Amino acid sequence: LESQGEVGVVGSATHGREALDLWRRLSPNVILSAPSLPILNGPALTREVMMQNPTAILALAQTQTDPLLGEMLSAGAIDVLVL
């Protein structure tokens, strides 16, 4: 994404709890999140963010069949990006 010159990556997390901590500290405009993050999954992360300070969240997935994608969208994610 950064190579396109229009987007800057401000943080990267290996699990949902770390993503939540980075979001609080860095205040990004958009969060890209996988649904199956360890420790705090994508739907739980999305719910936490939406309750505290709604931020645009895109769910990243390899297929559209992941059942957690629907949970992320219901929790407030704006769309799914299939890679």
Side-chain angles (χ1 to χ4, degrees):
L1 290 175
E2 281 185 303
S3 67
Q4 299 302 312
E6 296 180 24
V7 175
V9 176
V10 297
S12 179
T14 58
H15 57 79
R17 181 64 57 203
E18 182 181 21
L20 191 59
D21 292 341
L22 285 171
W23 167 76
R24 287 180 181 133
R25 198 164 15 115
L26 301 172
S27 300
N29 294 324
V30 177
I31 297 170
L32 304 176
S33 175
S36 300
L37 292 171
I39 301 176
L40 184 72
N41 70 13
L45 171 65
T46 302
R47 282 190 293 276
E48 286 289 325
V49 168
M50 293 304 159
M51 286 190 310
Q52 294 179 34
N53 184 18
T55 302
I57 297 177
L58 283 171
L60 301 179
Q62 292 181 356
T63 69
Q64 292 183 334
T65 59
D66 187 329
L68 293 176
L69 290 174
E71 289 184 45
M72 284 186 74
L73 292 169
S74 294
I78 60 171
D79 209 346
V80 175
L81 180 60
V82 178
L83 305 174

